[in-house]
Amino acid sequence: MPYETVNGSPERASRVGHTNAALRALADKASFYVPAEEVGDIQWLIPKIQRAGTFPSPSAGTQLASAIAIDGSRITERVRDGLPSVVYGYAQAAAAYVDLGAMEFQKAARFVDPVAIEQAVNTALVSLDLPVAGAYSRPGIGISTSWRENLSRIFRSKKVEVNRLNQSLLDLLFLLHGEPGKPAVAVPVNCPSSECNAKDVAIPFRGGSCPSCKEPLYPTDVLRIHEEVTEEGTNESALGRLMSVLELLVLVGLTSLLWQQSRNELLCSTVFIVDGPLAMYGPPAKLRGRAQEYFQAMASTTPGHGPYICGLEKTGAMVDYARQLARHDVLQPGDLLVCDQEVVKVITNTDNPAAYGKETYWGRKFVYRAKDGRIVVPTVMPERGAAYDAGGGQPGPAGYPTLPAILDVIDRTGSSMYQDGIIPVAVAHGKAAFPIGVGTDVLRLVAEHKLGLGNASTSNP
C-alpha cells in the first residue's frame, strides 16, 4: 500500500523516461497482432477505392459557405485536501462558426489580416459542473441518485444561447425525442429502482413517478448515465458520456435554429462538424436512433441535400490503418475508401463485422485522403435508413448525397495546427480545451464553493 501525500492522494514514483522505455521493451517482447502494421497484399482493397475525379464535387457556385464545428472536453479534480475520494467534474461543449469564404480570401492574400480572420470566426460555449464522486446533492442518498438529481437540475437550468437560440438542455432533449419543430411531450424512462422492473414509463417535462413503486422519475433518466456511476472511483467514464450528450444537444439546437430561421439559405450552405464520430456509446446509446430519425426528418423537409452533418475522427484503429495506406501510396490525394464489411472486418479484426456500429453509429465511416495529403475519417449520415445494420448497412457512397460537399470543405480548410486537422475543428477545440494547470485550479475553486468546502479546507491544517 502506498503512503499518502499531504493532500491525501497516494504517493507515486516520479514519472521519468524509463517507465515508457520499460513498457515499450515489454511490448516489443510480447506477441500480438495489429492490423495497421500488417497491410500486406492490398489487391482486394483496390476496387473499394473511389479514385480522385470519379465522384462528383460541387461547383464553385454550389460550395458550402460556412462551417459550424462542435467539440467538447471534460475534467475531474480531487478538490478536498485529506479526502481524495471527493471528486468534482466539469464538462463543456464549444461551437465555432467559420466563414469559409473569408478564410479562403485570406488564404489567397499575400499577407494574412488577423482582424479579418478574427471576424470570420465566432464561438459559443455551454458548460456544466457537478460532484461526480465522494460528494452528494443531499444527505441520505447514493451516488446514482445524486447524479440523477444533479442532471435534472442542470438540464433545466443550463441553456444553449446563440443569437436567437435560447433553449435549455432539457428543451433540446425533448426536441431530439420529437421531430423538427415539434418536441416530444414525454420521454421513455426505465425505473432506476433495483426492485422495480417498470420500463419505458412516459415522463413529461415536469417529471413524474414510477406507476409501480412510486420512485421519483426525471426526464433526464432517459439518458441512463446513472447506470454507469459507481460509489468508488472518479466516474470519469460517466462524465464522458454526459459530455457526448452535451455535444449532441448543441448540434440539435444549432441545426434546428437554422432549420426554423433559414432552411432555404443558411442551412443549405452550412456544414456541421462534430469532433469525433456520429455515434453514442454506453448507456445513452439509444440516442443514436433518436439522432438518426431526427436529422433524417430534418433532411426530408430541407431543400436540396441539407443538413450537411459529419463527424471527424482524429484517432482510432481506422485512422491508423488509413495512415498506413497513405504511407504506402495505396491512397492517393483525392481518393475515397469505401469501408464495407470486408474493410471493417480487416481493420477491427472482428469475426462479426455485421454487428459493427449498428447499436452506436448514426453515420457511416469513410476514409478520405485530402488533396493536400491529409488523412481524414469522416462519419456521414445517410439520406435515409441506417448506416450500419445486421445486413451490412449502407457502405456508400450512394445514399450519402451530402458527402461530396463535405469532402470539398475538408479540402478547403486544411490546418497545420494539428496532424490531419481542419480549421473549424481546430477553432472549436481551442475554445473547448482546458488550459493546463489553470483549468484544474479554477475547477477546484468552483467545487469548493459549490460543495461548501471553502471554510472547511482553510480550517484544517
Side-chain angles (χ1 to χ4, degrees):
M1 294 292 291
Y3 289 104
E4 287 189 354
T5 62
V6 66
N7 68 356
S9 61
E11 185 179 45
R12 294 184 175 90
S14 299
R15 294 188 175 185
V16 292
H18 72 268
T19 56
N20 289 335
L23 284 174
R24 290 183 67 89
L26 290 172
D28 288 342
K29 293 181 179 179
S31 176
F32 49 84
Y33 172 68
V34 180
E37 289 182 338
E38 302 289 341
V39 175
D41 178 26
I42 48 83
Q43 291 304 312
W44 65 275
L45 195 65
I46 301 301
K48 306 176 191 299
I49 298 175
Q50 302 280 320
R51 295 298 181 184
T54 61
F55 50 92
S57 59
S59 61
T62 60
Q63 289 180 316
L64 299 180
S66 56
I68 296 178
I70 299 168
D71 189 19
S73 59
R74 68 185 189 276
I75 187 173
T76 59
E77 179 70 10
R78 301 182 188 276
V79 296
R80 185 66 164 98
D81 291 344
L83 296 174
S85 63
V86 179
V87 183
Y88 206 78
Y90 183 90
Q92 60 186 15
Y97 168 86
V98 177
D99 184 332
L100 299 179
M103 284 289 180
E104 288 186 300
F105 180 82
Q106 288 299 310
K107 182 179 180 180
R110 182 177 181 184
F111 299 105
V112 174
D113 183 353
V115 175
I117 293 292
E118 180 69 20
Q119 292 175 342
V121 175
N122 288 295
T123 59
L125 185 71
V126 58
S127 62
L128 53 85
D129 60 276
L130 73 161
V132 294
Y136 308 86
S137 57
R138 58 186 174 89
I141 60 172
I143 192 65
S144 177
T145 302
S146 179
W147 268 74
R148 292 176 56 228
E149 292 181 354
N150 276 314
L151 290 187
S152 177
R153 170 186 57 81
I154 289 169
F155 272 57
R156 291 181 185 277
S157 60
K158 289 292 182 177
K159 293 184 176 182
V160 178
E161 298 175 289
V162 181
N163 295 332
R164 285 171 287 183
L165 176 63
N166 184 21
Q167 292 182 291
S168 70
L169 295 177
L170 192 58
D171 289 326
L172 297 174
L173 184 63
F174 272 78
L175 185 58
L176 177 62
H177 280 81
E179 56 188 65
K182 188 178 179 181
V185 296
V187 294
V189 168
N190 296 340
C191 181
S193 174
S194 59
E195 300 176 355
C196 182
N197 295 320
K199 305 290 185 182
D200 294 332
V201 181
I203 299 299
F205 193 92
R206 66 180 181 275
S209 59
C210 176
S212 299
C213 68
K214 308 306 178 185
E215 170 83 14
L217 299 179
Y218 310 106
T220 45
D221 289 340
V222 70
L223 302 175
R224 300 173 59 187
I225 293 177
H226 58 274
E227 296 179 7
E228 202 167 55
V229 176
T230 63
E231 294 287 352
E232 304 294 336
T234 62
N235 287 318
E236 288 188 68
S237 177
L239 187 63
R241 308 299 188 205
L242 179 58
M243 184 196 73
S244 297
V245 171
L246 187 61
E247 291 176 332
L248 176 58
L249 294 182
V250 170
L251 177 64
V252 169
L254 295 177
T255 53
S256 300
L257 175 66
L258 295 192
W259 182 83
Q260 291 176 329
Q261 303 293 338
S262 185
R263 79 181 71 171
N264 293 315
E265 296 179 7
L266 291 179
L267 185 61
C268 294
S269 61
T270 301
V271 60
F272 296 85
I273 306 172
V274 179
D275 187 16
L278 299 182
M280 295 297 297
Y281 302 101
K286 283 193 174 182
L287 291 184
R288 174 209 66 84
R290 293 303 321 140
Q292 176 181 295
E293 292 179 15
Y294 184 85
F295 290 115
Q296 287 181 347
M298 182 178 288
S300 68
T301 55
T302 300
H305 297 313
Y308 296 85
I309 300 174
C310 81
L312 285 183
E313 294 186 58
K314 299 192 294 288
T315 59
M318 195 161 290
V319 175
D320 291 344
Y321 193 84
R323 287 174 179 163
Q324 284 288 82
L325 294 179
R327 191 172 296 117
H328 291 85
D329 291 325
V330 178
L331 288 179
Q332 300 291 330
D335 285 353
L336 176 75
L337 173 62
V338 175
C339 300
D340 60 10
Q341 279 199 49
E342 192 175 6
V343 175
V344 169
K345 180 177 181 179
V346 170
I347 294 177
T348 62
N349 200 38
T350 180
D351 59 356
N352 185 20
Y356 180 85
K358 68 176 185 176
E359 301 294 337
T360 51
Y361 281 80
W362 54 280
R364 185 85 188 199
K365 289 185 181 183
F366 294 86
V367 171
Y368 181 61
R369 188 172 187 186
K371 293 178 180 178
D372 60 4
R374 286 173 297 124
I375 285 293
V376 180
V377 178
T379 314
V380 182
M381 183 185 72
E383 185 176 28
R384 60 180 61 89
Y388 296 95
D389 58 30
Q394 304 178 62
Y400 299 85
T402 63
L403 182 60
I406 289 171
L407 298 182
D408 176 67
V409 171
I410 291 172
D411 281 327
R412 293 157 57 199
T413 58
S415 171
S416 59
M417 185 176 296
Y418 304 102
Q419 182 181 11
D420 298 326
I422 72 169
I423 290 173
V425 173
V427 173
H429 178 76
K431 181 68 174 179
F434 294 99
I436 298 176
V438 177
T440 55
D441 290 343
V442 171
L443 177 60
R444 187 180 180 88
L445 291 174
V446 170
E448 288 180 352
H449 171 72
K450 293 204 170 185
L451 294 178
L453 298 176
N455 293 333
S457 62
T458 55
S459 62
N460 292 334

